[in-house]
Structure formats: structure tokens, C-alpha cells
Amino acid sequence: MPEPTASGAPAVGARYGRTARTRRRDRWLLVALGVFIVVVVACWTVWAGLDQVRGSGITVDTGANQVLDNQHVKVSYTVSVDAGASVACAIEAQDVDFTVTGWKIVQLPRSSQTTRSFTTTVRTMQPSVSGSVDSCWSSAAR
């Protein structure tokens, strides 16, 4: 039974279901939601941090590219990777609409140096205007 006020009528909160019991329940639900959010954020932070640690460790900077003729593009690039690592890179040529007109996978030799520069010529299917490194990844030595 709702608790009456000084005038003898039930309290407004009790009349509409707001009792001490529901306020306690709501407080516990908010605390549980807060704990859940903290746990999710903590897990995401740990996951994102570990993902950075396990990253490939390969950094690529595409330098200059030169269109040699209607069928060849020369791409210069610098690759930074742990010494002794085996790396392969995909080099691509593109036309004015950014359509890939040529593609070449290059296996880079192992080295004791961490940063090295390379130049690769890519044969194209049609006239191209640029060349770049699409991606590099760790690979098994051939």
C-alpha cells in the first residue's frame, strides 16, 4: 500500500510506481551498466594495444614515379622492416581514372639493413599516369 502524504493522499511517486524498491533497482541497473561499459572499454584498449604490438612492422614510402612509355612505369620506394625479414610488395600502375593498369609482386631480398630503397618497372596494359606501392607484407623466402 502506498505511503500517504501529510494530506492523507498517497505520494505521487508511489502512485506512479516510484517506490524505494524501484529506485534501488534502478540504481543497481545503472551501476551494472557503468561496470559493463568500463569492462568493454578496457577490453577494447587491451585488444587495440596488442594489435599494434603484433603489427607487421613494415613501413613503406612511395617516392617518385616515372612514366617511361605507354607500357612501362618506373616506381621508386623505400621499405623499412626488421633486419633479416623477408618482404614482398605489390607495385601498381594507374591511369587517370585510378584504374589499375599494371601490377607486379616483387620479392625483396633479405638484408641486415632496416631501411632500403628500391626501383621497380611495371609493365602496363594501357597508358598510365602514375605508379605506387599498393602494399607490402612478410613473406617466406624463395
Side-chain angles (χ1 to χ4, degrees), residues 59-65 75-79 90-92 131-134:
T59 304
V60 181
D61 291 320
T62 301
N65 62 71
V75 180
S76 298
Y77 52 98
T78 303
V79 177
I91 316 298
E92 68 180 17
S132 63
V133 177
D134 179 62

Side-chain angles (χ1 to χ4, degrees), residues 27-45:
R27 192 175 319 125
W28 277 108
L29 286 174
L30 285 175
V31 168
L33 178 64
V35 169
F36 176 75
I37 289 172
V38 168
V39 168
V40 168
V41 168
C43 289
W44 178 81
T45 303

